[in-house]
Amino acid sequence: MIRYYVWMGARSLRKNPVLSALMIVGIALGIAACMTSLSVFHAMGSDPIPWKSSQLHYVQLDNWDPNGAFTEPNEPPNQVTYRDAVALMEAGKADRQAAMFRVLMPLRPERREVKPFLAVGRATGADFFPMFEPPFRFGGPWSKSEDEQHARIAVLSRETNEKLFGGENSVGKRVRVKDVEYSVVGVLDEWRPRVKFYDVVGSAPFDDPEELYIPYSTAVEINLGTVGSNSCWQTVPAGRDAYLASECVWQQLWVQLGTPARLSEYTTFLNNYVEEQKKLGRFQRPLNNRLYDVNDWLANQKVVSRDVQIQVGLAFAFLGVCLVNTIGLLLAKFMRRSGEIGLRRALGASRLQIFAQHLIEAAVVGLSGGAIGLCLTGLGLWMIRRLDDGLKNVTHLDGPMIASAVALSLLAALLAGLYPTWRACRVPPALHLKTQ
């Protein structure tokens, strides 16, 4: 019976092409507006590493000005100092730990046909790779012993390897940065997390990952400056050593803690560390350490902005307007068939059968609009990518969003069809038979 009603609904669409087109286009536009904004919202706010996001924690220590918080109300700095990053790394109290900062590195390719270019790199520790799990195409990460030796080694992104070596296995080859040569130990495969969750402070959260990675100790030794965020509350004397010893915050520090018990232990360790530093005259503010996991940290940094949330609300409001128009069109369409409905009732059709027939017809309208709406959603996401290249990682439809679009279009059509269908069921058969 359902198949028969679907056939009747499709046949009804062909009988009234203009009216049907208006309803389908209305739902399609509403679905496209909703799914375009909802897809961006979903991509921005979804868990970027769900299998271990609860184990990765971002470290915050409040070494800021005793006369005022870094950010009100009472938020600690969003990075740590160099001296604290080094001290916590050397203590080694976490399961894994990675201090890091962004650097700018002028690369001089060996291939003469490739011009020198500036590459954005990341100085970090060996634990970065097992913690954040970027896939490798060739080779692998460096070791902790190479960190300690300040080795001149590098891991390249896939794109950088394409530029420098034409995409071939470059492990063991050399990369020249200024006058320093680095040996390639690994090449990453395609890695574009929707949100660059490991660094939403030093760079935009939807930027591409870095082009190459070098050991943290090496970058400090050769005096590579940061190109990320840098905040100071005291005047810093001139000189590199004074800067490294200052209270300026410019380092990110992540730790991996596998269990709640390990999290509790590390929290105690951080508190004890700050209390010891207080005895040395540092950390003059009240104890205010933070250990956010990945999702809490992204929420704290407002990666999904208020503007995006408002856009989603406006898109659903627009869908509501489209549904009101669809209700009026469906009501007009069903009421024009009052004679047909009355005849069917007189021949024995129940109100439930009339209700099912017309509700399924509304569902056919909704699914047709949903199919067109999906195409328009793809077009809308493409236009956003063209207008803002920084959002290219979050403007794609995935399986859950496609399923959501189908479900939303069906639900929207059924909601729009409830009142017109109920009115169709209330048609008195005797009255319409007398007028025919």
Side-chain angles (χ1 to χ4, degrees), residues 266-340:
Y266 197 82
T267 301
T268 301
F269 160 71
L270 278 186
N271 293 341
N272 291 337
Y273 170 78
V274 171
E275 292 296 343
E276 289 297 321
Q277 294 298 307
K278 283 178 177 289
K279 296 176 183 178
L280 301 176
R282 301 181 63 218
F283 292 95
Q284 300 175 45
R285 294 181 59 79
L287 194 66
N288 190 23
N289 301 328
R290 307 288 176 89
L291 277 171
Y292 287 115
D293 68 18
V294 171
N295 291 311
D296 288 341
W297 176 238
L298 296 181
N300 176 269
Q301 293 299 296
K302 297 179 174 60
V303 169
V304 181
S305 68
R306 180 66 176 169
D307 290 343
V308 175
Q309 299 174 22
I310 291 173
Q311 288 171 6
V312 173
L314 291 175
F316 274 91
F318 177 70
L319 176 60
V321 173
C322 295
L323 291 186
V324 170
N325 291 332
T326 303
I327 289 172
L329 293 172
L330 280 174
L331 185 60
K333 182 178 182 180
F334 291 169
M335 290 300 98
R336 287 175 59 183
R337 290 158 43 187
S338 298
E340 175 188 332

Side-chain angles (χ1 to χ4, degrees), residues 110 127 189 196 257:
E110 294 181 355
D127 276 350
D189 208 338
K196 201 170 78 171
L257 304 165

Side-chain angles (χ1 to χ4, degrees), residues 106-239:
L107 298 186
R108 295 171 56 187
E110 294 181 355
R111 298 163 62 197
R112 293 183 178 179
E113 64 272 19
V114 181
K115 295 180 179 179
F117 62 94
L118 285 175
V120 177
R122 179 157 297 274
T124 186
D127 276 350
F128 175 90
F129 301 98
M131 284 176 68
F132 301 108
E133 303 183 9
F136 276 84
R137 183 175 178 82
F138 303 116
W142 59 81
S143 65
K144 290 185 178 181
S145 62
E146 289 170 313
D147 269 333
E148 296 168 358
Q149 296 165 10
H150 302 191
R152 303 300 193 260
I153 51 181
V155 169
L156 306 181
S157 70
R158 181 171 181 170
E159 292 76 11
T160 303
N161 189 55
E162 290 280 352
K163 290 181 184 178
L164 297 176
F165 302 106
E168 64 183 32
N169 187 348
S170 59
V171 174
K173 295 187 177 182
R174 299 281 180 172
V175 174
R176 181 175 290 275
V177 181
K178 292 184 178 179
D179 296 324
V180 180
E181 284 193 342
Y182 294 79
S183 177
V184 178
V185 296
V187 177
L188 297 183
D189 208 338
E190 186 73 20
W191 188 47
R192 294 183 184 278
R194 290 175 175 174
V195 180
K196 201 170 78 171
F197 59 97
Y198 57 86
D199 183 12
V200 296
V201 176
S203 60
F206 307 111
D207 281 353
D208 287 333
E210 287 72 23
E211 296 170 272
L212 77 163
Y213 303 80
I214 62 172
Y216 178 89
S217 56
T218 303
V220 174
E221 182 179 67
I222 65 176
N223 197 21
L224 279 178
T226 179
V227 292
S229 175
N230 184 2
S231 302
C232 305
W233 63 273
Q234 293 176 322
T235 302
V236 181

